[in-house]
Amino acid sequence: MALPRMVTYGDWFAELKAFAEEEKALTRARDALNAKRRELPMVEVEDYELTGPDGPVRLSELFDGRRQLVVYHFMFDPSWEDGCPSCTAGTDELTPGFLEHLAARDTSYAMVSRAPIEKLERWRRLRGWDHIRWVSSHGTTFNLDFGVTIEESAGQGIFNWRTREEWEARGEDGLYADQPSEQPGRSCFLRVDDRIFRTYSQYARGLESTGGSYYFLDLTALGRQEDWEEPKGRSADVRGNRPDFAS
C-alpha cells in the first residue's frame, strides 16, 4: 500500500497551510458558482398528479406549505422489486434532522420514482425511511419531462444535458442500450402563489452530496478508495465508482 510521505510536524504544517489557501480559493469559487446558480432563470411546470400511499397527490402538495421543494429522482423501474442500490445508499444517510434543517429554511424534500406506489412503500418500510416522503410517477410523463427516464420512442433521449450523439462522441452511450432506462437526478422547485417553477436540476456526479459520505472520505488519506482516484495504490481493495457502499 502506498502511504503518504512521512515528514516532521513543521514540514507537515507548512504544506497544509499552503494547501489551505487552495481550499479557500475553491470555497470562494463555489460561493460564486452558487450565486450564479441562484441567478438562473426558472420555467413554469404543471401541477403533476402523482400517487402517494393514500392515493392521488399533486406536486404542489409536496411543498407542505413551504416555498421551496427539492425532489430526488430515485431510480426505481416499474419492473424492479428493489430500489437502485446507489440511490438507496445515499437515502440511507438522510436523517430526520436533515429534513428539519431544510424545513427551517422554508424547503421541503421528497422522492419521486416511476415504480408503482406499492413497490415504493415496500422498499421504504424495509429501509426504515418513515421520515421521507416518497411518491410514484407511474402512468405520468413526470420522469420523461425531467430527463430521468430515457425513452427515445417517447421523445426523451437527453440525459445530464447531453444528447445521444454527444454521449456517443464520448464513448459513453450505454444508457441507451435498453429502453426505457432509469437514471438518477435531483430537481428544485419554487412556489409563487399557486404557480410552480422549476429552478434547477442536476444529474450523475452532481448527486454526490446526497448523504455526504463521499465528502467526508475525500478528507482522508485513503480517499474514496475507488479505481479512478489518484494517487494509485492507497488501498488494497479499490472499487469501481458505484456509490452503493455495498463493500
Side-chain angles (χ1 to χ4, degrees), residues 5-203:
R5 291 174 288 116
M6 291 185 65
V7 298
T8 65
Y9 175 79
D11 290 341
W12 176 85
F13 184 92
E15 289 204 34
L16 259 71
K17 182 175 181 178
F19 181 74
E21 291 303 314
E22 295 185 52
E23 287 190 318
K24 292 172 183 177
L26 178 61
T27 298
R28 290 190 290 269
R30 185 184 61 210
D31 290 342
L33 186 65
N34 288 341
K36 193 170 184 178
R37 183 186 296 112
R38 290 190 293 271
E39 293 172 351
L40 290 171
M42 61 186 184
V43 60
E44 189 167 6
V45 299
E46 66 178 275
D47 193 5
Y48 292 86
E49 184 178 281
L50 307 168
T51 304
D54 300 319
V57 57
R58 291 284 182 180
L59 179 63
S60 57
E61 295 179 65
L62 301 183
F63 283 79
D64 283 331
R66 301 184 180 97
R67 292 187 63 204
Q68 295 193 125
L69 169 67
V70 176
V71 164
Y72 185 81
H73 302 285
F74 190 110
M75 287 174 59
F76 207 136
D77 186 275
S79 66
W80 300 349
E81 294 304 318
D82 295 342
C84 160
S86 297
C87 296
T88 295
T91 304
D92 274 342
E93 299 179 20
L94 301 184
T95 65
F98 165 80
L99 301 179
E100 291 169 5
H101 293 171
L102 290 183
R105 300 299 170 91
D106 213 10
T107 303
S108 292
Y109 185 92
M111 302 193 302
V112 180
S113 301
R114 200 163 63 92
I117 190 63
E118 293 79 12
K119 291 190 174 184
L120 305 187
E121 281 294 285
R122 171 193 166 271
W123 194 241
R124 186 163 73 103
R125 288 192 298 269
L126 188 65
R127 304 305 303 188
W129 298 338
D130 294 339
H131 56 294
I132 299 176
R133 193 165 192 179
W134 198 1
V135 299
S136 170
S137 60
H138 190 67
T140 76
T141 63
F142 185 87
N143 275 42
L144 292 170
D145 295 344
F146 286 87
V148 289
T149 293
I150 307 302
E151 188 174 5
E152 291 173 295
S153 63
Q156 166 47 28
I158 294 176
F159 176 65
N160 200 13
W161 315 113
R162 295 191 179 106
T163 64
R164 180 181 187 135
E165 291 72 26
E166 289 173 311
W167 282 111
E168 288 175 343
R170 295 168 58 90
E172 303 176 28
D173 58 339
L175 58 91
Y176 294 94
D178 297 308
Q179 298 185 35
S181 69
E182 301 302 293
Q183 304 299 328
R186 183 159 45 213
S187 294
C188 299
F189 301 89
L190 179 67
R191 184 171 54 83
V192 181
D193 298 324
D194 293 328
R195 304 169 69 185
I196 302 172
F197 295 88
R198 179 186 184 184
T199 60
Y200 183 68
S201 287
Q202 61 181 178
Y203 309 92

